[in-house]
Amino acid sequence: MRKEIRTAAVALVALCAAGTASAAPDKTSKIVEVNSKKYRVVTQGRAVLVANKAFFVAYDVNERDDQRAAVKLATGCGITDELPSNDAKLRGKLDCPSK
């Protein structure tokens, strides 16, 4: 009896772990080059983060446009709901055309 309960418990835990793992969105990271600058574009589900690979970044309108171009190059999608931050990273949601 105990062996059967233990086997059922192990099977239940394995089933729950597999369901949780498949529900988590995949995280991807790509490095692309825009205007001779390298950007890391990290996506997880529809969320996207863009960071310049340089040590010092002068964050201005041109830099933000380059970050948007990096998202388009890395994912084929645009970016919406942008959240610029003090650390010169751009965060937002992917805006992909429905297929």
Side-chain angles (χ1 to χ4, degrees):
M1 179 76 175
R2 285 185 179 175
K3 185 177 180 182
E4 293 167 351
I5 293 173
R6 190 173 355 142
T7 304
V10 169
L12 182 60
V13 169
L15 183 62
C16 289
T20 304
S22 64
D26 292 332
K27 186 174 185 179
T28 62
S29 177
K30 292 183 182 178
I31 296 176
V32 295
E33 190 170 325
V34 176
N35 292 333
S36 301
K37 296 181 279 188
K38 291 186 179 180
Y39 294 92
R40 178 178 304 275
V41 180
V42 180
T43 60
Q44 186 168 8
R46 286 190 58 212
V48 64
L49 170 91
V50 186
N52 191 322
K53 299 281 291 170
F55 179 71
F56 177 75
V57 178
Y59 196 66
D60 58 9
V61 174
N62 295 326
E63 178 67 19
R64 193 165 160 187
D65 288 343
D66 288 346
Q67 289 175 330
R68 289 180 186 144
V71 170
K72 185 74 170 175
L73 186 62
T75 65
C77 301
I79 183 172
T80 61
D81 299 333
E82 298 174 13
L83 298 170
S85 62
N86 292 336
D87 58 358
K89 294 178 182 174
L90 183 64
R91 293 166 177 84
K93 291 182 184 176
L94 290 176
D95 182 26
C96 296
S98 58
K99 295 179 181 179

